[in-house]
Each structure stands twice: as C-alpha cells, then as structure tokens.
C-alpha cells in the first residue's frame, strides 16, 4: 500500500464513518437537511484532496457536487460519477446495528450507504488526495467529479444538469463505481444498466371503509382489485403483460448471450446467499440475463386495510402499491 | 313514549355515552383492561335495571356477562344476545370525530360501537329497567341476557360457554340485535347469518430485503407472489376457487330466492350510499343474495415492503395479508 495511504488510514476511516453517520435519505423529506449536509461534507473533502475547482451546483432538487483537477489540456479526461444520497433504512428492526451508526466487523463496514454509494465515492476522492498530496506522483489525467443527491429517487434533475453543462462535463471516459461485482474475488466491469420507472398506485373503492359482513361479496374490495391488477402484470412465464412494455428492449443475439454465459456466475452461491431454494423468473432466460438484459416489474411496497394486531373485518376504502420497472 | 323513558332519558343517554367512551377493542391486547371495564359496566347496568341474577362468567378469553329476570316458570323465555367488544378504530385519521369521544349530530350518535353493538345491548337492558322499575308493568316473560366480549375476534369461547351452560341458557326465543336493516324505515328480521373464518397469511421469500436493481427478475418477489395467490382465489365470475369451499353451502331454491327478492331493497340507494357506480360480485346472484346466502372472501388488510414517503427499490423479504371468509 502506498505510504500516504498507510500514514493517513485512520483519518480516512474516521472521515468515512462520519459521512456514513449522516442519514442522507433522499426519499423522505424529513431528512432533507441531512442530504444537504452530506453534499457539503463531500464538497469539503474534494477541496482538501486538492481539487482546483469545487462547486455545489443547485438544481430543482438536491444539489450536485462538481469538482475537478486539470492536469493539462493534452491529457485525457475521466469523469467520476457517484451519489451521496442513500435508500431509506426502514424497517429499522431488521438491522442488527443502527443504520447510521457504522460498525466494523471482519474488516467490513456496516452502515446504510457504506456500499451504495458513499464508500465508492469516498475511495475516488481519496485516490485524488493520494495523487496530489505530499509525495504524490500527481494526476496522470484530468479528473472531474459529479456527485448527485437524487440517485435513489430517480435522478430527475441529473439529465437537466448534464445538458446544461455539456462543456464542463466533457470527458473521454466516465467512471461509475455504483454497481455490483460477480463475487468479491471477481473484478467486474458493467457495460450497461437498466433504468428505473417508479410508480405509486392508489385504488379507490367505496367512499368509506365497509363492514365485510354487511357488504362483503357485493362490492369490489380495493385490496382484492389491486392484487388482481398486480397479478395480471405477469403471465405464467413471468413475462410482463403491459402492452408495448418490451417494444424498445434490445434482444441480445446468441453470440452476446454466449459471452454473458461465460461470466463466472455461481447459481448455487446466488441462491444460497439469499436463502432461497431456487431462482425464478422469466422463462427462457438465465439468472444473469434476468437481472441484466431483461426488464422487470416488482412491487416494492403494498398497503391497505387493517394491519394492526388481531382481526378487523373491514373492506378498506383504498389500497396502495409502489411499483418499479427496470 | 312511556313516562319512565322520558323522565330518565338524559341519564340513559349519559350512561350510554360513558359506555361508548370505553375503547373495548378485543382485537388488540393493549385494550384488554378496557374490554374488562366494558363488561363490568354492562353488568352493573343489568343489576340496576332489576335483573335478579347477574354474573361475570370467566372464559379462556374475555368474560361473558350473564343476567336474568325470571317472571315465572310458566312464562316463555327470551334469551337476548349481544356483545360489548368493538372493532379496532384505526385508521384514526379517517374519523371526523374521535372514535371514543361520542358526539351527537342530527340525533345520531357517532362513536365506535354505537351501532355495533353497545347501542343495541343497552336498549335491551333499558327495556328491562323500564318494565321493572317504578310504574313499570313488569316483565311478561322470563328474560336472559348473554353478552360476550369476543364477537369481533371470532367468538372462540362462546361455543364452549354455551355447551357448558345448556340449562341456564335454555330459552324459547333468542333475540339478537346485531344485524342490519334494509333501510331506516324498513323493520327487518334476519333469519340467518354467515359465519367468519379469519386468517393472517405470511409469505416469506429471500432471507433479507434485496435491491430490486441487482435481484429484480431473478427471485420471486413475496409481494407479487402474495398478489398472485390472492388473485387466484377468485375466478372471472368472482366465484371462489378454493377446492371444497362451497361443499357445505346450502343452495337456495327458486321459491326461497323469489321470497328474498321481495324484500324492499334499492340497488340505487345501496350504491349511492357507498359512492360506487355499481355493485359487483359473484355472477348469477343479486346484491342481497351476495351479501347473505353466498359465501365471500375479502382481504381485510395487506402490507409488505416500503410504505413510507417516496421511492425505495426494495424486494421485501416478507409480505402479509389478513383474509376473511364468510
């Protein structure tokens, strides 16, 4: 390990843990202040690392942190992308340690955002610091950083920012460390990612909650109706039935699929790690294909009616679901 | 109105409102003390009314309040049934006044339990008081009262109590005021009621919540699976598909159905009162048939995954539903 890293390892770690302590949950407005704090935090780290220009760029939503170090006009340019926002941490009761109080076990850091995406963002910033600070060899290329705060909620403002800042963001290579690897000992390069379409569905039935003894059987129950709708979105081959859904999906040819099949993927390790007897999905495709080249539809949340202790024989007036398509 | 009722109207009303203030929700253990208070309350009112024997009979669950006034061995006996427990009141935010703080608007009392079933139970107790107290004409028959505290959670202990107290409960007529009427100006006598089977379903998938971007498409999502299961419980005619479900259901003949059709039921008033454009249900049956002689299956509650603000792209480890069949 380069001397600089060994010398500063403790400080690096403490800084990262401090960043992980900020609950920058972009989905929930009550964490808005924390989201802004997380942006400020990484802006300051970029400045300390030696970036020559660092800006907190406002958007209609959360700010984008832009930073750069220009080694020279003749050098190639790398644009590093990352995000400082995190997914909601609930249900909290399933965490074995609090999500925003990082703990280290077996050399792994456990905290919300540790590997999505604060850890990776931090690594890139510290790489810059190592290159530029005392004894560093200097940057071999121009490096630009663009860290957004809305990745977990659909990146609504990123496209607008990118279009408005074409020149500034110009680069030869874009480097994104916000994906997975096939296994801890299999370095992996992703060449494409699925997008995301996220929807909240509200089904309204009767104008108030009804007693299922008096009304059951004679009115369409919104929860039952919602389940019918959701169920109808897949056919028996787990093929999505929404008209036109696959229209713009590129169908990979045999050669490309053969190449994908060569990746060292272990079906057994996959199912074992998530505690399922078998992987399932769209007929005619392998597990790696199902999670990469094929679009999907998942219900990410559902609620309606009585969800407390014991029994309540209510026909709920409304039912809700959060549905994502990738 | 008999003089006694006019003279004591205010006291009667205040007493009833006090009873309605007790949140005797049998489904939720946190209200257990209130359930017992509601039983004590109606026991005391029976004693005050002039019942000659009043007992709080323990069961494996909530006690049954038994009371009697015997007019003479040659008189017929009426057994009045009722219950002092109420349904859970949530979601609280849909109440225009707090469920356990009764308010009177247009001569109607609004409170949880006002018409299911504390109001009706109270009416019978006060009828006894009117017959027996000063100036009353006396009871023309023997009257027994049996008020349970588990009607809203399936009456698990009522059958046991009834079998163990055959002699005590012997009666010529059983009077239950815990049903509906066709309209406020149509006195109605129910001759039968559907029972209730209530189940909580838990679907377990992966051993932890998964990221839908990394796993979506390759594992069965427990919420989607639950929706598939629920949807498969009805066919396209809203007929329930569970094998054997209809085995013991009596199919009424044309004569009985014709008689049922004579009840002054207004389809328009029915749909208007619940704000729906149309009633729907099992093909081949009328609305009154669907809510009376035909069994039903309703989801009374469903939950799973992320239900907070905004988006979370989680594949939940578990999904739940509360399902009742009548």
């Amino acid at each position: 390990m380069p001397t600089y890293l060994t010398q500063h390892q403790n400080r690096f770690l403490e800084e990262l843990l401090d960043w992980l302590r900020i609950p920058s949950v972009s989905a929930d407005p009550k964490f808005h202040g924390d989201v802004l704090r997380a942006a400020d935090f990484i802006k300051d780290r970029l400045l300390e690392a030696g970036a020559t220009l660092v800006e907190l760029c406002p958007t209609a939503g959360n700010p984008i942190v832009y930073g750069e170090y220009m080694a020279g006009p003749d050098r190639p340019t790398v644009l590093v992308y990352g995000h400082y926002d995190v997914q909601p941490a609930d249900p909290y009761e399933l965490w074995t340690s609090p999500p925003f109080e990082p703990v280290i076990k077996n050399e792994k850091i456990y905290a919300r955002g540790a590997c999505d995406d604060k850890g990776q963002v931090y690594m890139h910033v510290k790489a810059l610091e190592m290159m530029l600070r005392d004894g560093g060899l200097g940057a071999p290329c121009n490096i630009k950083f663009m860290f957004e705060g809305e990745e977990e909620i659909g990146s609504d403002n990123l496209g607008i920012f990118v279009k408005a800042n074409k020149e500034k963001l110009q680069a030869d290579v874009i480097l994104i460390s916000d994906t997975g690897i096939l296994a801890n000992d299999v370095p992996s390069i992703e060449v494409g990612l699925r997008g995301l379409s996220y929807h909240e569905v509200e089904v309204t039935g009767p104008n108030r909650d009804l007693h299922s003894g008096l009304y059951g059987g004679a009115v369409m129950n919104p929860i039952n109706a919602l389940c019918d709708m959701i169920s109808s979105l897949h056919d028996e081959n787990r093929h999505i039935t929404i008209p036109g859904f696959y229209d713009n999906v590129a169908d990979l040819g045999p050669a490309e699929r053969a190449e994908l099949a060569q990746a060292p993927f272990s079906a057994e390790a996959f199912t074992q790690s998530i505690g399922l007897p078998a992987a399932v999905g769209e007929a005619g495709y392998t597990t790696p294909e199902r999670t990469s080249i094929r679009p999907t539809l998942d219900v990410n949340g559902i609620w309606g009616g009585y969800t407390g202790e014991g029994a309540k024989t209510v026909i709920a007036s409304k039912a809700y679901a959060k549905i994502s398509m990738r």
Side-chain angles (χ1 to χ4, degrees), chain A:
Chain A
M1 202 189 282
T3 321
Y4 188 82
L5 293 189
T6 349
Q7 280 171 347
H8 296 273
Q9 191 171 5
N10 285 344
R11 173 173 60 88
F12 284 8
L13 186 62
E14 285 310 320
E15 280 176 16
L16 174 56
L17 297 183
D18 274 346
W19 202 31
L20 293 172
R21 285 187 185 103
I22 304 174
S24 51
V25 180
S26 50
D28 192 337
K30 77 166 178 276
F31 293 108
H32 187 61
D34 298 303
V35 169
L36 298 181
R37 273 208 296 141
D40 270 335
F41 185 100
I42 200 64
K43 185 197 80 179
D44 291 346
R45 295 297 86 73
L46 274 170
L47 280 167
E48 286 167 16
T52 44
L53 171 69
V54 184
E55 298 172 333
L56 205 61
C57 311
T59 74
N62 298 329
I64 286 168
V65 180
Y66 176 80
E68 64 179 37
Y69 176 83
M70 302 307 273
D74 55 327
R75 303 284 177 89
T77 302
V78 178
L79 172 65
V80 178
Y81 163 90
H83 63 92
Y84 59 83
D85 62 328
V86 300
Q87 287 271 333
D90 36 331
Y92 284 81
E93 65 273 19
L94 294 182
W95 286 80
T96 52
S97 60
F100 299 108
E101 295 172 22
V103 295
I104 302 176
K105 279 182 284 193
N106 301 324
E107 302 205 301
K108 293 187 185 74
I109 300 174
Y110 291 84
R112 169 83 346 157
C115 61
D116 183 10
D117 183 36
K118 284 174 175 169
Q120 295 96 307
V121 163
Y122 200 68
M123 175 185 69
H124 291 299
V125 174
K126 291 295 126 175
L128 181 72
E129 181 176 328
M130 182 191 73
M131 291 190 282
L132 302 186
R133 290 305 172 195
D134 27 288
L137 300 171
C141 58
N142 304 314
I143 306 177
K144 297 174 176 177
F145 299 90
M146 178 180 69
F147 302 141
E148 66 157 326
E150 301 186 327
E151 199 273 346
E152 301 295 5
I153 51 173
S155 300
D156 275 353
N157 293 297
L158 184 66
I160 298 165
F161 176 80
V162 168
K163 273 184 200 139
N165 292 276
K166 259 188 208 172
E167 299 300 317
K168 186 193 262 182
L169 297 170
Q170 205 153 31
D172 300 289
V173 174
I174 298 177
L175 176 59
I176 300 175
S177 300
D178 186 27
T179 54
I181 53 178
L182 284 166
N184 282 341
D185 54 358
V186 183
S188 318
I189 298 174
E190 301 262 9
V191 293
L193 282 171
R194 300 184 288 198
L196 173 66
S197 175
Y198 199 99
H199 305 268
E200 188 168 312
V201 178
E202 175 180 327
V203 175
T204 300
N207 56 12
R208 63 182 190 279
D209 288 2
L210 301 176
H211 191 296
S212 74
L214 299 177
Y215 292 89
V219 297
M220 193 64 207
N221 177 324
I223 302 178
N224 286 74
L226 178 59
C227 290
D228 287 349
M229 292 176 194
I230 289 169
S231 184
S232 75
L233 296 174
H234 286 98
D235 68 14
E236 66 281 10
N237 294 315
R238 304 304 297 168
H239 203 76
I240 294 154
T241 57
I242 299 170
F245 187 79
Y246 292 94
D247 279 1
N248 295 316
V249 176
D251 221 349
L252 293 202
E256 286 163 311
R257 292 181 69 184
E259 210 170 336
L260 190 58
Q262 282 175 23
F265 171 79
S266 162
E268 209 194 331
F270 178 82
T271 51
Q272 229 167 39
S273 74
I274 54 177
L276 287 176
V280 294
E282 192 184 358
Y285 293 94
T286 66
T287 296
E289 287 171 347
R290 287 166 175 169
T291 60
S292 61
I293 61 166
R294 297 303 296 168
T296 56
L297 185 153
D298 275 294
V299 181
N300 301 117
I302 194 166
W303 68 105
Y306 182 66
T307 58
E309 277 278 333
K312 183 181 180 186
T313 53
V314 68
I315 296 178
S317 170
K318 289 172 188 287
Y320 304 85
K322 291 176 190 273
I323 298 178
S324 68
M325 284 156 273
R326 290 182 174 269

